[in-house]
Amino acid sequence: MKKRLLIMVLWMITAGTLLACSPQTENAQFVEESKTRLIPGTYRAEFDQPDSRGWTPFLVMKINDEGKIAEVNFDYISTEGTLKTQDADYNQRMTAANGLGPKTYCPRFAKNLIIYQDPAQVDGITGATSSSQEFKQLAQAAYAAAEKGSQGTVYLSHIPEDSQESGEGDS
């Protein structure tokens, strides 16, 4: 009799523990939805001035009616109005030096942001260290604006180049 009572008590403790530790799917689903819900619109972030080579990085993010990142454009614009991804000479030099150029890595960053829906989840790209950092900053700023529905351009201060790692060559 004592053995049966002990087994029943242990069974009840185990069942209670399992129920208490199980995820509450209704609340978990609500948290996930509220975390990823962005306000539909177009959001832009850019640095407030060009780097020492004359390029200004920018990011444009479009949020669809479901609150998801639907389109992303990450690029650099020169003081003359040229896009870095379209500058054939620059891309050729960068590809020769680092194995890839902005024509390759800029769309890769954009694609990964659409896939992961979170700037923090997008990994940097070897050979594009400065651009990885700039992309993350711009994506986080545009994402924060999309959470609030603030569609004006967000301007970020440029990181002084002497504080960046030397020898990267991707700016």
Side-chain angles (χ1 to χ4, degrees), residues 79-113:
T79 52
E80 295 83 31
T82 305
L83 293 176
K84 202 182 241 190
T85 56
Q86 302 302 312
D87 187 327
D89 291 337
Y90 187 88
N91 275 281
Q92 186 177 11
R93 287 192 315 271
M94 285 298 298
T95 301
N98 294 340
L100 75 161
K103 188 173 184 173
T104 303
Y105 63 73
C106 285
R108 189 181 303 172
F109 284 127
K111 179 182 175 185
N112 287 340
L113 183 54

Side-chain angles (χ1 to χ4, degrees), residues 34-169:
S34 64
K35 179 182 174 190
T36 59
R37 180 72 179 159
L38 302 172
I39 297 172
T42 300
Y43 302 89
R44 182 180 178 96
E46 64 184 63
F47 283 96
D48 59 358
Q49 59 188 352
D51 62 19
S52 64
R53 293 171 186 89
W55 296 105
T56 302
F58 69 91
L59 182 138
V60 177
M61 177 188 311
K62 291 186 180 180
I63 308 301
N64 65 20
D65 290 337
E66 290 80 39
K68 302 290 184 184
I69 300 169
E71 293 178 39
V72 176
N73 180 23
F74 170 61
D75 209 331
Y76 294 73
I77 191 161
S78 72
T79 52
E80 295 83 31
T82 305
L83 293 176
K84 202 182 241 190
T85 56
Q86 302 302 312
D87 187 327
D89 291 337
Y90 187 88
N91 275 281
Q92 186 177 11
R93 287 192 315 271
M94 285 298 298
T95 301
N98 294 340
L100 75 161
K103 188 173 184 173
T104 303
Y105 63 73
C106 285
R108 189 181 303 172
F109 284 127
K111 179 182 175 185
N112 287 340
L113 183 54
I114 292 168
I115 290 169
Y116 294 112
Q117 296 289 309
D118 181 355
Q121 299 300 316
V122 178
D123 289 334
I125 296 174
T126 302
T129 307
S130 294
S131 294
S132 295
Q133 294 168 349
E134 291 164 342
F135 171 80
K136 285 261 191 179
Q137 291 177 321
L138 293 169
Q140 288 168 345
Y143 191 90
E147 288 178 313
K148 297 181 225 168
S150 178
Q151 292 190 41
T153 301
V154 177
Y155 292 97
L156 303 176
S157 295
H158 216 292
I159 301 170
E161 294 193 32
D162 58 347
S163 71
Q164 295 180 8
E165 297 175 28
S166 60
E168 296 172 0

